[in-house]
Amino acid sequence: MNRAIPGVIITTIGLGALASFRSSSGLPVKSSTAVVVPRKTVPASTAPPSRGTAATTPTTTPASTTPGTTPATSTQTRTITGTAVDNQYGTVQVQVTLHGTQITDIVAVQMPNSHQRSIEISQGAEPILRQEALQSQSAQIDIVSGASFTSQSYAESLQGALDQANR
Amino acid sequence: MVTRVGPGVRRAEEQWGTVITLDVRDDIDEEVIDGCFDWFRRVDDLFSTWRPDTEIMRIGRGTLLPEDASPEVREVLDLCEQMRLESYGAFDISVGANPDLPARPGRAPLDPSGLVKGWAVAKAGEMLRNAGASSFFVTAGGYLVARGRPQHDEAGGWRVGVQHPWERDRVAAVLSISDRAVATSGRYERGEHIIDPRSGRPAEGLASVTVVGRDLAVADAYATATMVLGPVDGMPWLASRVGYEGMAIGDDRVVTTTAGFDRYRI
């Protein structure tokens, strides 16, 4: 198996359908335990932040999209259902809803329940994700978690500044 | 900036091509700190992919059998294999040896660096605990373990800033961390250095992934795997990992978090 979600089926659904679906219960139809809750002021159906010319030209489809399907534009909402994948933990199948290139919903259609660890996953940790816009903060901190800085960039990094201040 | 109160020692040393910082707020023998940095040097001797004589390079060339390697190397290889299976191949240290992928000059046949730094930092944390320390952190290039609380009379945990990918002097989130590990994997610092082992191409779509959990080696590998799985597959996969929470920053500046991540945020 090459991918967690190898083949996909693409269905285009109307925006109105998504909106009414959201306002009716706030929960996805397929599963009562997996839901994307929008945080702060970013509604789930908001168009993604502009990425180049994405607003007017077809965006690239996700990596797991089957070649040959109609390219999506940023105004389209699509649900992508991955094929059911059997692995040593059981069968996994997820359904992702995208508005343009932004994920607005992820639903576990099938999760493993075949042995103990998988049961833990199924019952306690189905994909429940939240989305928000990136913010930058300037806060009092003790430690920085950043992608591996090189020795050269360390001196001008936040961690370097903290170490300097605490010497 | 935080001002120091009470006893303790803080030391930063350059190793592994980055800087390792160790901060202990207990009274502790300097020899314990020395021992930690000796450990980091041993890790480099065993696992560096920048020198031909390390055990990991000899195993990659086939001149050393894994079963004849040091116990530490065997432990890391076992852990890497476990992570490869868990991530459906998104985490795979043998990408450099895959004959089906285009050859990249300078790439080591076996490269466990997506896990070994976190693993080694976690071990240093254990050394400090065994020496009686109860309030400390160890960090190396974004991987950290934090134990106890920074001031012994304060309720809050260590305040950990998640580096903003595009603003060097800002953070994208602030976490309160106590008795947990944090690992951030990203593309913004060393260029596109995270390769998708399944295609041989650089991972795309996510600028950084931060994972919080108990074991730093696992958090490190999960962060790498989530980067590789990308914006569509990565976070649902991470959300299904028991005991670990995460936050991904997309190239489109959209932040995705797992449901339990909020409990660490300030």
Side-chain angles (χ1 to χ4, degrees), chain B residues 137-221:
Chain B
F137 71 82
V138 185
T139 181
Y143 314 104
L144 65 96
V145 290
R147 192 85 201 161
R149 308 180 191 292
Q151 265 88 43
H152 291 283
D153 57 344
E154 212 178 75
W158 296 88
R159 293 171 68 96
V160 175
V162 175
Q163 177 72 56
H164 191 292
W166 301 289
E167 293 177 46
R168 193 177 275 275
D169 58 341
R170 307 292 288 276
V171 293
V174 183
L175 315 177
S176 178
I177 297 295
S178 189
D179 304 339
R180 286 288 185 281
V182 185
T184 295
S185 187
R187 287 193 292 121
Y188 52 89
E189 195 60 64
R190 286 177 169 170
E192 303 209 336
H193 71 300
I194 296 174
I195 298 297
D196 185 338
R198 304 163 303 174
S199 67
R201 291 195 295 271
E204 286 178 344
L206 295 177
S208 82
V209 175
T210 297
V211 177
V212 184
R214 285 199 182 274
D215 185 335
L216 185 56
V218 173
D220 194 350

Side-chain angles (χ1 to χ4, degrees), chain A residues 34-150:
Chain A
V35 58
V36 175
V37 183
R39 277 174 57 99
K40 295 173 183 167
T41 57
V42 185
S45 58
T46 298
S50 153
R51 201 197 320 193
T53 55
T56 51
T57 57
T59 57
T60 49
T61 45
S64 54
T65 300
T66 307
T69 51
T70 310
T73 70
S74 63
T75 55
Q76 278 183 317
T77 296
R78 301 163 291 147
T79 55
I80 300 173
T81 306
T83 47
V85 176
D86 291 314
N87 59 71
Q88 70 270 36
Y89 302 110
T91 304
V92 177
Q93 187 175 30
V94 300
Q95 187 178 62
V96 179
T97 303
L98 293 111
H99 182 70
T101 57
Q102 185 177 8
I103 300 172
T104 55
D105 208 349
I106 297 163
V107 177
V109 183
Q110 284 190 70
M111 287 296 278
N113 56 12
S114 55
H115 58 74
Q116 202 176 352
R117 173 167 164 77
S118 300
I119 289 167
E120 265 186 272
I121 292 171
S122 293
Q123 295 180 343
E126 279 196 14
I128 302 171
L129 303 174
R130 296 188 172 92
Q131 291 196 335
E132 61 190 287
L134 178 63
Q135 304 194 344
S136 63
Q137 301 177 40
S138 175
Q140 278 215 335
I141 51 173
D142 301 306
I143 321 164
V144 182
S145 182
S148 300
F149 34 68
T150 59

Side-chain angles (χ1 to χ4, degrees), chain B residues 82-151:
Chain B
Q82 190 186 320
M83 291 297 117
R84 185 183 71 81
L85 292 171
E86 256 194 74
S87 66
Y88 316 119
F91 180 91
D92 189 345
I93 64 171
S94 64
V95 57
N98 186 341
D100 297 334
L101 298 178
R104 298 206 177 207
R107 179 171 300 157
L110 270 186
D111 186 357
S113 55
L115 179 146
V116 79
K117 286 178 188 170
W119 173 83
V121 166
K123 292 278 185 202
E126 285 172 27
M127 291 166 71
L128 291 172
R129 280 185 71 192
N130 292 339
S134 62
S135 170
F136 62 83
F137 71 82
V138 185
T139 181
Y143 314 104
L144 65 96
V145 290
R147 192 85 201 161
R149 308 180 191 292
Q151 265 88 43

